[in-house]
Amino acid sequence: MTGGVEKVVLATNNPKKLVELRRVIRDAGLAVEVLGLGDFDPYPEPAETERTFEGNAFIKAEAAARHTGLPALADDSGLEVDELNSMPGVRSARWAGPECNDAANNALLLAQLAGVPAKRRGARFVCALALVLPDGGRQLWREEMPGRIAEEERGDGGFGYDPLFLPDGRACTSAELTAAQKDAISHRGKAVRAFVAWLKEQ
């Protein structure tokens, strides 16, 4: 029973996030079809003007729900580094500039933490996952994955800052984990499981 939620739109053009959500929902045994923005006519992406992950997640989910008429899910995720006063934060994807890529972001972060000892390299990944229903209903789940920043990139899995992030209790980076290992401890994995638990309760 999923409370009438048979389809949900994930407001992203990131195919890896789409695969991730579909995998968690499938593993939970739920018959919910997950669509991406690529399944609909394009619409202008809303400006992410909020200063919090939660605010930006709702901006994206509301725009997708309005455009598609379906329940829409959107996440805003990022990295908070203690030494950088919790930055990059909501600017994580654009840390090295508006047209930058993962490699540029990682290179800049390493440069900013050059010479910083391990005990001061604490960090956390944060995910705010927002759901907006066509009737205006709203839900939010926020989860974190604590860890620290490595001194060099390791691993070729995952995306974003994964090659630099050492989850608490692990000697390897997020990019060296299998998809299942990462799902079990990641900020996004936790948030998606909370959403799935909510679906099961409906």
Side-chain angles (χ1 to χ4, degrees), residues 62-152:
E62 286 166 355
R66 193 164 53 243
H67 181 74
T68 66
L70 292 172
L73 200 62
D75 84 287
D76 198 44
S77 305
L79 180 68
E80 295 181 344
V81 180
D82 294 341
E83 186 74 4
L84 302 178
N85 296 317
S86 294
M87 296 297 281
V90 295
R91 295 181 58 204
S92 293
R94 304 172 297 280
W95 191 228
E99 304 299 326
C100 64
N101 57 20
D102 290 349
N105 286 333
N106 286 334
L108 176 58
L109 182 61
L110 280 178
Q112 290 171 322
L113 295 179
V116 175
K119 65 182 180 181
R120 285 173 31 209
R121 298 174 80 95
R124 71 207 58 80
F125 274 123
V126 178
C127 175
L129 186 66
L131 175 70
V132 174
L133 303 174
D135 65 5
R138 290 156 55 105
Q139 295 283 337
L140 178 79
W141 300 272
R142 178 190 168 101
E143 297 289 347
E144 299 184 0
M145 176 168 62
R148 60 189 174 86
I149 304 300
E151 295 187 4
E152 61 182 8

